[in-house]
Coordinates of all heavy atoms in Angstrom, one line a residue:
H30 N 47.9 33.7 -184.6 CA 47.8 32.4 -184.2 C 49.2 31.8 -183.7 O 50.2 32.0 -184.4 CB 47.2 31.5 -185.3 CG 45.7 31.8 -185.4 ND1 44.8 31.5 -184.5 CD2 45.1 32.3 -186.5 CE1 43.6 31.8 -185.0 NE2 43.7 32.3 -186.1
K49 N 41.0 26.7 -184.9 CA 39.9 25.7 -184.6 C 39.7 25.4 -183.1 O 39.3 24.3 -182.7 CB 40.2 24.3 -185.3 CG 40.3 24.5 -186.9 CD 40.5 23.1 -187.5 CE 40.6 23.3 -189.1 NZ 40.8 22.0 -189.7
L52 N 36.0 24.4 -182.2 CA 35.6 23.0 -182.3 C 36.2 22.1 -181.3 O 35.6 21.1 -180.8 CB 36.1 22.5 -183.7 CG 35.3 23.1 -185.0 CD1 36.0 22.7 -186.3 CD2 33.8 22.7 -184.9
Q53 N 37.4 22.4 -180.9 CA 38.1 21.6 -179.9 C 37.4 21.7 -178.5 O 37.1 20.7 -177.8 CB 39.6 22.0 -179.7 CG 40.4 21.7 -180.9 CD 41.8 22.4 -180.8 OE1 42.0 23.1 -179.9 NE2 42.7 22.0 -181.8
V63 N 29.2 13.7 -171.1 CA 29.0 12.2 -171.1 C 29.8 11.7 -169.9 O 29.2 10.8 -169.2 CB 29.6 11.6 -172.4 CG1 29.6 10.1 -172.3 CG2 28.8 12.1 -173.6
A68 N 30.1 9.2 -164.5 CA 30.8 9.2 -163.2 C 29.8 9.1 -162.1 O 30.2 8.6 -161.0 CB 31.8 10.4 -163.1
V70 N 27.0 7.6 -162.2 CA 26.2 6.3 -162.3 C 27.0 5.1 -161.8 O 26.5 4.3 -161.0 CB 25.6 6.1 -163.7 CG1 25.0 4.7 -163.8 CG2 24.7 7.2 -164.1
L74 N 34.2 3.7 -155.7 CA 35.1 2.9 -154.9 C 34.4 1.7 -154.4 O 33.1 1.8 -154.1 CB 35.7 3.7 -153.7 CG 36.6 4.8 -154.0 CD1 37.0 5.5 -152.7 CD2 37.9 4.3 -154.6
I76 N 34.9 -0.8 -151.0 CA 35.7 -1.0 -149.8 C 35.3 -2.3 -149.2 O 34.1 -2.6 -149.0 CB 35.4 0.2 -148.9 CG1 35.8 1.6 -149.6 CG2 36.2 0.0 -147.6 CD1 35.4 2.8 -148.7
P98 N 21.3 17.9 -139.9 CA 21.8 19.4 -140.0 C 22.9 19.6 -141.1 O 23.1 20.7 -141.5 CB 22.3 19.7 -138.7 CG 22.7 18.4 -138.1 CD 21.7 17.4 -138.6
P114 N 30.3 22.1 -162.4 CA 31.1 21.8 -163.6 C 30.2 21.4 -164.8 O 30.4 21.9 -165.9 CB 32.0 20.6 -163.2 CG 32.1 20.8 -161.7 CD 30.8 21.3 -161.2
A121 N 28.8 26.7 -171.8 CA 29.8 26.9 -172.9 C 29.3 26.4 -174.3 O 29.5 27.0 -175.3 CB 31.1 26.2 -172.5
L125 N 29.0 28.7 -177.5 CA 30.0 28.5 -178.5 C 29.4 27.8 -179.8 O 30.0 28.1 -180.9 CB 31.1 27.6 -178.0 CG 32.0 28.3 -176.9 CD1 33.0 27.3 -176.5 CD2 32.7 29.5 -177.5
V129 N 30.7 29.1 -183.4 CA 31.6 28.3 -184.4 C 30.9 28.1 -185.7 O 31.5 28.1 -186.8 CB 31.8 26.9 -183.7 CG1 32.4 26.0 -184.7 CG2 32.7 27.1 -182.5
I159 N 41.9 15.6 -155.5 CA 43.1 15.6 -154.6 C 42.6 15.1 -153.2 O 43.4 14.4 -152.5 CB 43.6 17.1 -154.4 CG1 44.2 17.5 -155.8 CG2 44.6 17.2 -153.4 CD1 44.6 19.0 -155.8
A162 N 42.5 11.4 -153.2 CA 43.8 10.8 -153.1 C 44.3 10.8 -151.7 O 44.9 9.7 -151.2 CB 44.7 11.6 -154.0
A164 N 42.5 10.8 -148.9 CA 41.7 9.9 -148.1 C 42.0 8.4 -148.4 O 42.0 7.6 -147.5 CB 40.2 10.2 -148.4
I166 N 44.9 7.2 -149.3 CA 46.2 6.8 -148.7 C 45.9 6.4 -147.2 O 46.5 5.4 -146.7 CB 47.1 8.0 -148.7 CG1 47.5 8.2 -150.1 CG2 48.3 7.7 -147.9 CD1 48.4 9.5 -150.4
A184 N 39.0 10.7 -163.2 CA 40.4 11.2 -163.4 C 40.5 11.8 -164.8 O 41.1 12.8 -165.0 CB 41.3 10.0 -163.2
G208 N 30.8 40.7 -182.4 CA 30.8 40.8 -183.9 C 29.7 40.2 -184.5 O 29.0 40.7 -185.4

Side-chain angles (χ1 to χ4, degrees):
H30 288 291
K49 299 182 179 180
L52 290 175
Q53 294 172 350
V63 174
V70 173
L74 289 175
I76 301 175
L125 290 177
V129 172
I159 295 173
I166 293 174

